[in-house]
Each structure stands twice: as structure tokens, then as C-alpha cells.
Amino acid sequence: LKNKEAFKDAIGLFKANSFKVIYIVLIFTVVLTFTTKADFLIKTDKAGYIDALNLLSSLLASIVATVYSITIVALQLASTQFSPRILRYFLSNNPYTQITLGIFLGWVVYCLLLKFWLIDAIPPEQSAVPDSMKPILNLGIYGCICLIGIILPHFIVTIAESINAASITRKITLHTLHEVQIAQKTWQHQEEITERPLHTNKIAIKSETFGYLRSLNIEKLRKITQQYPQIDFIEQVNDVGSFIQKDSEIAYIALNATVTNVKHLEDYIRKQFDIGKFRSYRQDIHFGLRQLVDIALKAISPAVNDPTTAINCLDYLGEIIREIMQAGMPSIGFTKWKGEKVYLNEASFDRVVNQAFDQIYHYGKNDFAVTARLIDTIRKVIPFASKSDYLDVLTDEILEIGLDFAYQYQNGNLKNVHSQEQLMRIFKVILKTIQTIEEQYEQLKDNRHKDKLRLLKSKCLNNIEEIKKVKEDIIV
């Protein structure tokens, strides 16, 4: 889905108005060439090729320097407004930006090589260019024209669209959903474990460096347990995305017999843990969630004051959680590979939901639109909770938000922030969400949290009646 949408967007940009001018010029050139019976190939002497290559290579180098300077400034402004983590996406995690920069710089080098290696090989007294050299020289000239006339405007339009808030949040979501689809293949082979395994002979594998755990080679760990029968199990300590301190435990190996070269085995296992200075999307669903939450928090800050972007982030957070539930994410963080000797430390569903909504509610509860959309987002994903464990987590989240909002209202903290109508609408959204939760519990034939839901419902109804009385008093 991620690659398909990126290709579709890239093709769609050719419909921009800037390309219409290019198409007109190209058609005019082709028609003029055929009507005058001219030749598309450039036919000139050595001096003409030198002038053309000098002009185009210097023009190309100037354009590259100018455009990328403006691009860096634009991305810096975008990172300040949204999140500093998106800047690395545009420069290091975006293949299109890297390939475009490589093509431009590579073609400048190609033109210089043509000038200094190919043309300078022609004797000084010879003004004509050999026919064997002309196709290569023509390629350099036409390549420069293509880069300036097609690739450059396409890149500018792409960057202009990429720094849009809606585009940024969607790309982050697509990356995260792509990782969820990959993780689904792993989750299918895992069984949830409530307690970590005990063993009399556990050896700690310690990290030789510090940084973030970016990924874990699970297949290699499985092969190691099969290769060494002395290993009872390998246990992962930290989940992907965690910060690892130097000399801290990253894994444990449990041995039932002596291994001849334990240090070699420890180093082999240590190499399967990729630790670096940056977090990445690979195996790290929390990283995508963290970016969306950061953008939402920036958007609702007084300095930016853009609640629409925060609402956009909430919509995509709901989509990620829906996809996670359908993919069958383990509801608890510690799992075991079925039939294997590998214990994994995964991100639990409870942690995912808390990370997605807690901070946005805490900093955005004074904004009516953000609070209402947050509660409604949770309501929309509840019908996709196919397991009671998922539904319990979502119910706890609604209970925390709903009870806190009711408490804030009763203590008068929100009466001067929201209008009476807005307060009533939020309590009605909470009641609608409670009804959805109760219907989903009935479908799953489960009655958990029944008393807590009844308490929240009672508080919401009482608050609505109180608001109605206040409105009647104001009218009177």
C-alpha cells in the first residue's frame, strides 16, 4: 500500500500546471523539427560542444545548490512546526530525495568528465568531433535538458506537497501500517506468556554500546537455538525502540550444558540486536505513533494553535489501532515463538493505546474539537476489537478520559473553557461510546467493567441534566 500510493502520487504530479507548459514546449519543438525536416541529433564542432557542456553543467550545479538550499529551509520550518523527527524522514528515509539529488550531482560530474576526458582527447588542431563521440555527448546535453525541464519541476512540486501536514501524517501512517503488515507474520507464530521463564543457569548478554534498539533478527535467534542444543531458550529483555545503556542486559541465554566457546556464542547473539543513534520504522510501531502524537501535540500548543492538524493525527492513529487489532497483535508484551526456544519482548496493545491517546487528551482537553474527536476515534475502533483483551484496554481508556473529564467539569475547571453546548456534546459522545462498548461486550459475551461503565454513564447523564438547567437559567 505504501509503495503503491507513493507511485500513484509521483505519477499524479505530472498533471501539475507547470508540466502543461513543458508539454506545450515539447510538442512545439517536435512539430517544428519535423516540419523543417531537421535532425534531433546535435551537430556542431568541438567548440560548440564545449560551450554547451560548460553552460548546462554550470546551470545544473547552480540550480541544485539553490533548490536544495531552499528545500532545507522549508524542511527546517516544517520540522519546527510539526516535529524535528520528520526532517530525517525527508533526507535519509526518503529514497526519492536521495535518488533525485544523486541524479543531479551525478549528471554534473558526467558532463565534466565528458569535457575533460572525452573532448580534451581530441587533438587541438582538429575542430570536428568524431562520429563515435557524438552519441555520448548528445546524451549528456539532452540529459541536462531533461533534468532541468522535467525532473527539477517534478521535484519542486513533490517537496511542496511533502511538507503539507496532511501529506506528512499520511506517509507516517503508511510506513507504520506497512510495519504492522510485516509484524502480523510474526504475531501469528507467537503465544502470550504471563511470566518470564525461570532457569538456574542464565547468562546475561550485555550491550557493548548505547543507543536505541532499532531491530532484532528473530530468524537468526531461532537458528541459533536449533544450532546449539545446549540452549534451553533465548530471552529478549527490551522491546524494539527502547533505549539501551552500555553494559546493560539486552538478552539472556539459558544453558543446560557447557558450551565450549561461550564468548563466541554471546557475540553471535549480540550481533542480532541492532543498536543505533536513531529509532527507525522497522519493527518499531511505536516510532510511527510517537511521530503522529508529537505532531498533534505541536499542533495544539499555543505557539502553533492548529487543532485541525491534531484532529488529522487522531484519525490516522485510529486507523493504525484498527489495523493492529485486525493483525492480531499480542495483548501483553511478553511472548514466545510457538514450538521454538525464543522469548520475545513485544510492544503490548495497552501501551500502544496509551501512547496514542493519553498525551493528546492531557494537553488538548481544553480544546472542544480535539477532545470530541479523540473520544469519537476510540468509539469507531471499538467494533474491531475482536478479543476481550483489546476491548478491556479501550474501555479502560474511555473510563480514564470520561471520568477525568467529568471530574474536571464538576470542579469547574472546564466551565470557563467550553461553552455549555460544547460540554453537553462531549458528554453525549462519551455516552455514545459507552453504548458501543456495551454492544461489543454483548457480542463477545462478556460483562466486564459493567459497574464502572454504569458509573461513568450516570455521571455523564447527571452532568447533562445540570448543563440543561444552567442553559434554562440563562434563557430565563
Side-chain angles (χ1 to χ4, degrees):
L1 181 61
K2 177 188 68 173
N3 297 331
K4 183 179 179 180
E5 183 155 326
F7 179 75
K8 183 180 178 181
D9 291 341
I11 297 300
L13 291 176
F14 283 107
K15 298 179 182 179
N17 291 330
S18 58
F19 284 95
K20 294 179 182 178
V21 179
I22 298 173
Y23 300 149
I24 293 172
V25 173
L26 182 61
I27 293 172
F28 176 77
T29 305
V30 172
V31 172
L32 186 64
T33 302
F34 277 102
T35 53
T36 56
K37 297 182 180 179
D39 195 344
F40 278 104
L41 296 177
I42 300 172
K43 295 181 179 180
T44 184
D45 57 2
K46 182 170 69 172
Y49 276 115
I50 292 175
D51 292 339
L53 290 174
N54 284 340
L55 174 64
L56 291 173
S57 59
S58 60
L59 179 61
L60 205 60
S62 301
I63 289 173
V64 170
T66 304
V67 169
Y68 275 88
S69 298
I70 296 173
T71 301
I72 294 299
V73 173
L75 294 179
Q76 185 62 43
L77 292 174
S79 68
T80 304
Q81 183 177 1
F82 301 118
S83 172
R85 273 168 280 277
I86 68 170
L87 187 61
R88 183 164 58 92
Y89 164 77
F90 285 108
L91 297 180
S92 61
N93 293 344
N94 190 346
Y96 178 79
T97 305
Q98 297 176 1
I99 292 172
T100 305
L101 177 60
I103 290 175
F104 272 97
L105 296 180
W107 215 262
V108 172
V109 174
Y110 178 67
C111 291
L112 293 176
L113 292 178
L114 290 180
K115 180 179 180 299
F116 292 113
W117 285 8
L118 200 63
I119 295 181
D120 286 355
I122 302 174
E125 65 276 3
Q126 182 180 340
S127 60
V129 176
D131 292 338
S132 60
M133 293 184 181
K134 288 182 179 180
I136 303 175
L137 295 171
N138 288 338
L139 176 63
I141 294 173
Y142 281 125
C144 289
I145 295 173
C146 178
L147 290 176
I148 296 172
I150 298 177
I151 304 298
L152 177 62
H154 189 276
F155 178 75
I156 294 174
V157 175
T158 302
I159 291 297
E161 184 172 318
S162 296
I163 62 176
N164 181 274
S167 178
I168 292 171
T169 52
R170 185 167 183 83
K171 286 181 179 178
I172 293 172
T173 303
L174 288 172
H175 273 283
T176 308
L177 292 178
H178 179 69
E179 290 304 318
V180 171
Q181 292 174 353
I182 296 175
Q184 182 180 10
K185 301 175 183 177
T186 304
W187 293 339
Q188 292 174 351
H189 299 282
Q190 295 181 29
E191 55 183 344
E192 299 176 0
I193 303 296
T194 56
E195 296 181 358
R196 289 184 177 272
L198 300 176
H199 201 277
T200 56
N201 188 16
K202 266 189 181 183
I203 300 176
I205 308 295
K206 297 186 178 181
S207 174
E208 295 180 344
T209 184
F210 59 91
Y212 290 96
L213 181 58
R214 297 188 294 190
S215 63
L216 171 68
N217 195 331
I218 301 174
E219 290 298 320
K220 281 287 183 68
L221 292 179
R222 293 173 57 205
K223 290 180 180 179
I224 290 173
T225 58
Q226 296 170 2
Q227 183 179 354
Y228 289 86
Q230 301 96 325
I231 297 178
D232 278 343
F233 61 82
I234 298 177
E235 177 187 345
Q236 178 187 356
V237 176
N238 302 286
D239 61 321
V240 176
S242 300
F243 184 81
I244 307 298
Q245 293 181 330
K246 186 179 179 181
D247 296 328
S248 63
E249 294 83 0
I250 57 176
Y252 291 105
I253 51 173
L255 301 177
N256 55 33
T258 304
V259 178
T260 55
N261 195 345
V262 179
K263 292 295 181 184
H264 173 73
L265 177 60
E266 291 180 9
D267 291 337
Y268 191 25
I269 295 176
R270 189 180 293 111
K271 289 179 181 179
Q272 312 314 317
F273 293 81
D274 181 18
I275 299 174
K277 59 181 178 179
F278 292 126
R279 294 177 66 176
S280 66
Y281 286 103
R282 187 185 176 194
Q283 297 183 357
D284 191 357
I285 297 171
H286 283 283
F287 182 60
L289 294 172
R290 182 72 266 164
Q291 286 182 303
L292 290 174
V293 171
D294 284 348
I295 294 173
L297 295 178
K298 283 259 187 175
I300 58 180
S301 65
V304 179
N305 193 22
D306 182 16
T308 303
T309 298
I311 290 173
N312 183 252
C313 292
L314 284 170
D315 293 337
Y316 284 121
L317 286 169
E319 179 63 22
I320 292 173
I321 290 176
R322 181 200 63 80
E323 189 71 23
I324 284 174
M325 289 191 294
Q326 290 192 325
M329 181 183 192
S331 54
I332 59 176
F334 198 67
T335 61
K336 181 181 182 297
W337 195 281
K338 294 178 181 178
E340 300 284 349
K341 304 175 183 179
V342 178
Y343 289 88
L344 301 173
N345 200 340
E346 295 280 353
S348 64
F349 183 72
D350 179 59
R351 184 180 159 197
V352 167
V353 172
N354 290 337
Q355 185 177 13
F357 299 120
D358 283 359
Q359 279 188 297
I360 298 178
Y361 170 72
H362 177 73
Y363 292 102
K365 59 187 172 185
N366 291 334
D367 191 299
F368 158 74
V370 173
T371 305
R373 182 58 69 91
L374 188 151
I375 298 170
D376 195 56
T377 299
I378 299 176
R379 181 189 65 80
K380 290 179 179 178
V381 301
I382 286 172
F384 297 96
S386 56
K387 295 197 302 185
S388 296
D389 293 335
Y390 295 156
L391 190 55
D392 289 343
V393 172
L394 295 173
T395 302
D396 286 337
E397 190 71 16
I398 284 295
L399 288 170
E400 290 175 10
I401 293 173
L403 291 172
D404 179 75
F405 195 85
Y407 173 80
Q408 297 292 337
Y409 169 76
Q410 289 295 332
N411 284 271
N413 298 333
L414 300 174
K415 293 180 181 179
N416 296 327
V417 177
H418 302 302
S419 66
Q420 302 297 322
E421 189 65 34
Q422 289 174 342
L423 289 169
M424 184 181 294
R425 288 175 61 184
I426 291 177
F427 284 121
K428 286 183 178 179
V429 173
I430 296 174
L431 288 174
K432 192 175 180 180
T433 306
I434 293 174
Q435 182 181 353
T436 306
I437 291 174
E438 290 175 340
E439 292 174 354
Q440 189 65 17
Y441 269 123
E442 289 179 4
Q443 186 174 346
L444 296 176
K445 297 180 180 180
D446 198 329
N447 292 321
R448 277 184 266 186
H449 299 287
K450 190 174 182 180
D451 295 334
K452 292 181 181 179
L453 290 171
R454 188 183 294 111
L455 173 63
L456 178 57
K457 184 188 293 187
S458 175
K459 286 181 176 292
C460 291
L461 291 173
N462 292 336
N463 291 338
I464 290 174
E465 291 300 321
E466 182 180 327
I467 293 170
K468 286 181 180 180
K469 290 179 181 179
V470 172
K471 289 179 66 179
E472 291 172 358
D473 293 340
I474 292 174
I475 294 173
V476 174

